[in-house]
């Protein structure tokens, strides 16, 4: 059997370290054909990679590129520099094995990353079948040029076949993540990631998810998901499982079925999810989620101003957002809220509308993350709007430096000032640029959780500390 080494190049540990689900799925899928070894760079940060390559002597090396930048307008981190210097270059210097790049970050900027990394091949979008076909071609010395979604080094700038052609759904394999990577370091703050479907049929104007995953939903069987959770629990004991779908409760009914399948198994896992879309929310869904074991959710309305919601093409209404806010309170389900300010049609009044909504409806124990400006991604309606309004110029790179959209009435400076005012009024609201807690604060939170035996989500402990520190600063201000 030929040897394949898959490398996770993600160094980011905020908001918590993310285990490399994508390459673990690939490792499980490719197992019948290749001997696969996964190198996880999250904690090792490239230190032992060269030694591993020398010892393992792989026939192929795949690099997974997840993050390009942090999507925070004023403190943009560009991850690519270290991905290249700490992972890709050292390997290129010692190995002649073909280098293949892939991953969700790669899939957003394939041409740019092929050029920057000097990789031999690139796979856009989901890996399983396409990667296997590519490797089979390479095994046989056949040209890979006609494969869909594959890029080649000598063909930079041209994707060999239709980028948009998603292959028919196959069942997403169990990741069995902990069989491919050491899960121990993820236990304290990390999660066990689970994917319940692929694709996104929504059309939010700024979003690149349909480009990464396809536009059609391809759903996993709820019982398959519940079984994956049960088996992981048998191996690992108590861990938190997180659903990583772009929206968990789309299309309507699937999330409910997953909860029912989990309840039926009587396994009582600890669950959380990102991407609760206000549209398909009901007390039935929340009831099922509570029974299934949800301890935390993320809700992503982006705005609570009706004109902005409409302009972003969110397909839900202010009533939907209000309902989900009431449901989170009614069920006391800890929630992180995400708002994006500065989109098309944003004005001083619409910012005030969202601010009022936050003050009126959001539980003050829940965190509100406020992004200023919308990252402009290729092939999105926002790119067209930004071009039309002269925010970006035709031919301008959207890769680096990352461009952001701010509406004419809320330019960056004005918006930053308004968000700071919201932050100073509501202790639970944080501009994204200020949201990463310092290592000291994280340590303090970990100590507090241990001392007080807190089982609440980490963000609630961090908010508690922030509130106390804010109170102390105010008292000291009064004394001086
Ligand atoms: C879930 C998610 C999160 C969750 C993660 C929860 C968790 N437990 O994993 C949260 C909310 C915490 C999060 C945080 C962040 N995220 Co995020 N996230 C996602 C999301 C929606 C899904 C990622 C995922 O797990 N997919 C499921 C797995 C199975 O798919 P996959 O990794 O893509 O792997 C497949 C293919 O890519 C391919 N593949 C992967 N590797 C390889 C390698 C080779 C060689 C090949 C051939 C193929 C291949 O095959 C795999 C199987 O089919 C994506 C958007 C999206 N729709 O992809 C954004 C996304 C990855 N996030 C993004 C960003 C920026 C971030 C943050 C930096 C934001 C921030 N400032 O906090 C942080 C970074 C966190 C970290 N520590 O790394 C960006 C990255 C692009 C960019 N602009 O840089 C994305 C693409 C969204 C976007 N706006 O564009 N995120």
């Amino acid at each position: 059997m030929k040897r394949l080494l898959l490398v996770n190049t993600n160094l980011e540990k905020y908001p918590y370290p993310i285990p490399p689900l994508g390459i673990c799925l690939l490792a499980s899928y490719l197992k019948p054909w290749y001997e696969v070894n996964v190198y996880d760079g999250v904690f090792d940060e490239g230190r032992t990679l060269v030694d591993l390559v020398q010892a393992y002597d792989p026939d192929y090396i795949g690099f997974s590129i997840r993050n390009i930048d942090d999507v925070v307008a004023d403190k943009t981190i560009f991850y690519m520099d270290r991905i290249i210097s700490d992972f890709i270059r050292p390997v290129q210097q010692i190995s002649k094995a073909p280098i293949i790049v892939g991953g969700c970050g790669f899939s957003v900027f394939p041409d740019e990353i092929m050029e920057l990394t000097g990789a031999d091949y690139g796979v856009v979008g989901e890996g399983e079948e396409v990667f296997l076909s590519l490797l089979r071609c390479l095994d046989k010395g056949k040209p890979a040029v006609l494969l869909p979604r594959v890029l080649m080094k000598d063909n930079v700038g041209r994707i060999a076949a239709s980028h948009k052609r998603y292959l028919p759904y196959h069942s997403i394999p169990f990741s069995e993540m902990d069989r491919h990577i050491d899960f121990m370091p993820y236990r304290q703050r990390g999660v066990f990631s689970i994917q319940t479907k692929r694709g996104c049929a929504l059309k939010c104007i700024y979003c690149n998810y349909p480009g990464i995953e396809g536009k059609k939903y391809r759903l996993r069987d709820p019982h398959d998901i519940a079984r994956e959770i049960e088996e992981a629990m048998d191996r690992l004991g108590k861990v938190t499982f997180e659903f990583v779908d772009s929206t968990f409760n789309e299309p309507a009914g699937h999330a409910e079925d997953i909860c029912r399948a989990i309840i039926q198994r009587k396994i009582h896992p600890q669950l959380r999810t990102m991407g609760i879309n206000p549209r398909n929310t009901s007390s039935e869904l929340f009831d099922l989620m509570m029974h299934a074991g949800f301890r935390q959710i993320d809700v992503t309305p982006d705005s609570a101003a009706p004109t902005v919601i409409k302009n972003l093409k969110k397909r839900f209404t202010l009533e939907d957002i209000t309902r989900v806010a009431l449901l989170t309170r009614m069920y006391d389900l800890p929630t992180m809220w995400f708002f994006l300010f500065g989109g098309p049609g944003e004005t001083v009044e619409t910012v005030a509308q969202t601010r009022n909504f936050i003050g009126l409806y959001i539980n003050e124990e829940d965190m509100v993350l406020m992004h200023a400006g919308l990252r402009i991604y290729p092939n999105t309606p926002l790119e067209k709007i930004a071009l039309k309004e002269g925010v970006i110029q035709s031919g301008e790179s959207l890769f680096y430096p990352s461009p952001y959209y701010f509406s004419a009435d809320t330019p960056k400076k004005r918006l930053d000032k308004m968000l700071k005012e919201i932050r100073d009024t509501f202790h639970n609201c944080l501009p994204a640029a200020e949201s990463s807690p310092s290592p000291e604060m994280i340590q303090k939170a970990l100590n507090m959780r241990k001392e007080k035996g807190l089982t609440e989500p980490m963000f609630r402990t961090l908010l508690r500390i922030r509130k106390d520190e804010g109170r102390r600063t105010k008292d000291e201000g009064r004394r001086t």
Side-chain angles (χ1 to χ4, degrees):
M1 254 191 193
K2 291 215 174 190
R3 287 183 299 278
L4 166 68
L5 175 66
L6 292 174
V7 179
N8 175 27
T9 65
N10 183 5
L11 294 160
E12 184 54 82
K13 288 157 195 71
Y14 170 80
Y16 39 86
I18 302 292
L21 175 63
I23 49 174
C24 291
L25 284 170
L26 294 182
S28 295
Y29 182 80
L30 294 168
K31 221 165 40 187
W33 297 277
Y34 294 91
E35 184 189 312
V36 191
N37 197 341
V38 173
Y39 167 82
D40 183 6
V42 170
F43 300 100
D44 188 61
E45 302 193 346
R47 282 183 284 267
T48 64
L49 179 59
V50 163
D51 287 349
L52 174 66
V53 172
Q54 272 161 344
Y56 188 57
D57 192 20
D59 296 290
Y60 305 108
I61 306 175
F63 287 89
S64 181
I65 301 180
R66 181 194 195 277
N67 301 328
I68 309 301
D69 51 60
D70 61 354
V71 203
V72 178
D74 42 2
K75 67 156 190 83
T76 302
I77 306 171
F78 187 61
Y79 295 106
M80 286 308 302
D81 292 333
R82 280 196 67 195
I83 292 177
I84 292 173
S85 68
D86 296 11
F87 297 100
I88 300 181
R89 287 286 176 267
V91 169
Q92 279 168 330
Q93 277 159 14
I94 57 149
S95 170
K96 290 209 164 34
I99 286 186
I100 302 116
V101 282
C104 37
F106 170 76
S107 305
V108 183
F109 295 105
D111 295 339
E112 291 86 344
I113 295 177
M114 285 297 288
E115 202 163 339
L116 200 65
T117 56
D120 300 294
Y121 300 92
V123 172
V124 176
E126 69 184 25
E128 288 81 357
E129 280 111 338
V130 180
F131 194 22
L132 176 62
S133 312
L134 170 62
L135 294 174
R136 296 314 255 175
C137 279
L138 299 181
D139 284 349
K140 293 178 188 141
K142 279 192 187 163
V145 78
L146 285 176
L147 292 172
R149 298 195 273 114
V150 169
L151 281 83
M152 288 174 66
K153 190 179 192 172
D154 52 350
N155 200 14
V156 167
R158 260 202 53 209
I159 299 177
S162 168
H163 184 145
K164 293 191 184 97
R165 242 183 68 197
Y166 267 83
L167 298 173
Y169 168 75
H170 64 82
S171 74
I172 299 171
F174 277 30
S175 66
E176 299 197 307
M177 254 187 335
D178 52 298
R179 292 199 199 274
H180 302 295
I181 58 164
D182 176 10
F183 196 75
M184 265 317 272
Y186 291 99
R187 291 192 80 111
Q188 190 175 40
R189 289 180 53 223
V191 288
F192 193 100
S193 311
I194 306 263
Q195 196 178 33
T196 77
K197 65 174 156 294
R198 287 196 183 148
C200 185
L202 300 176
K203 292 187 174 149
C204 309
I205 61 162
Y206 54 82
C207 190
N208 52 16
Y209 292 3
I212 300 172
E213 298 183 22
K215 291 179 186 155
K216 277 194 189 146
Y217 290 117
R218 289 159 296 146
L219 311 180
R220 276 180 80 186
D221 176 351
H223 294 287
D224 191 52
I225 297 163
R227 188 160 63 85
E228 178 171 5
I229 293 174
E230 180 169 19
E231 288 180 14
M233 285 172 80
D234 288 346
R235 293 194 302 272
L236 295 169
K238 205 173 143 216
V239 287
T240 299
F241 294 89
E242 178 170 37
F243 296 118
V244 296
D245 309 356
S246 41
T247 44
F248 176 59
N249 56 330
E250 289 276 345
H254 189 53
E256 287 84 344
D257 288 344
I258 294 168
C259 293
R260 285 189 198 101
I262 293 170
I263 295 166
Q264 234 177 50
R265 279 192 181 251
K266 299 190 170 65
I267 48 181
H268 309 292
Q270 228 166 263
L271 303 170
R272 60 180 285 186
T273 189
M274 50 169 281
I276 290 287
N277 186 314
R279 188 161 83 146
N280 294 323
T281 48
S282 61
S283 49
E284 188 195 1
L285 173 68
F286 272 65
D287 230 30
L288 285 165
M289 284 174 64
M290 294 310 286
H291 279 102
F294 279 87
R295 299 280 173 272
Q296 177 179 349
I297 58 170
D298 293 352
V299 178
T300 46
D302 295 348
S303 173
T307 32
V308 180
I309 302 171
K310 198 162 155 254
N311 289 351
L312 295 176
K313 300 231 173 356
K314 295 301 294 180
R315 295 198 193 170
F316 51 69
T317 61
L318 183 56
E319 287 69 45
D320 293 323
I321 311 176
T322 311
R323 182 182 60 249
V324 75
L326 295 175
L327 285 168
T328 61
R329 277 172 174 267
M330 209 163 97
Y331 286 86
D332 193 22
L333 184 53
T335 303
M336 283 188 67
W337 291 81
F338 291 81
F339 289 97
L340 287 175
F341 291 89
E346 189 86 88
T347 61
V348 173
E349 289 75 45
T350 59
V351 174
Q353 285 169 1
T354 300
R355 177 194 187 282
N356 291 345
F357 175 88
I358 293 170
L360 270 174
Y361 290 104
I362 293 186
N363 182 348
E364 61 166 43
E365 281 186 83
D366 284 344
M367 186 179 260
V368 177
L369 217 74
M370 305 182 291
H371 274 270
L374 278 62
R375 173 78 164 90
I376 305 168
Y377 284 115
N379 311 316
T380 58
L382 184 65
E383 180 190 20
K384 290 200 187 81
I385 295 172
L387 271 170
K388 201 165 145 208
E389 294 182 9
V391 176
I392 51 169
Q393 306 307 315
S394 158
E396 184 180 327
S397 165
L398 302 182
F399 180 53
Y400 181 81
S402 1
Y404 287 84
Y405 179 95
F406 289 88
S407 74
D409 199 46
T410 56
K412 187 170 178 321
K413 255 193 171 164
R414 182 183 288 174
L415 195 52
D416 281 345
K417 211 169 143 216
M418 286 188 280
L419 298 194
K420 280 189 179 137
E421 188 275 325
I422 300 178
R423 172 201 67 189
D424 292 342
T425 313
F426 306 115
H427 82 277
N428 58 334
C429 295
L430 279 180
E434 299 172 20
S435 62
S436 0
S438 63
E440 295 76 43
M441 194 159 172
I442 292 179
Q443 197 48 53
K444 199 169 171 183
L446 288 172
N447 294 345
M448 185 190 254
R449 291 167 75 81
K450 208 168 163 193
E451 271 162 34
K452 300 192 175 172
L454 298 176
T455 53
E456 65 190 7
M458 184 69 168
F459 81 79
R460 283 208 166 164
T461 315
L462 289 165
L463 272 183
R464 217 181 271 281
I465 295 173
R466 192 174 125 74
K467 194 173 177 184
D468 287 350
E469 284 179 355
R471 221 181 269 140
R472 219 175 306 129
T473 320
K474 270 192 196 148
D475 288 350
E476 277 159 16
R478 245 176 259 136
R479 258 180 261 131
T480 49

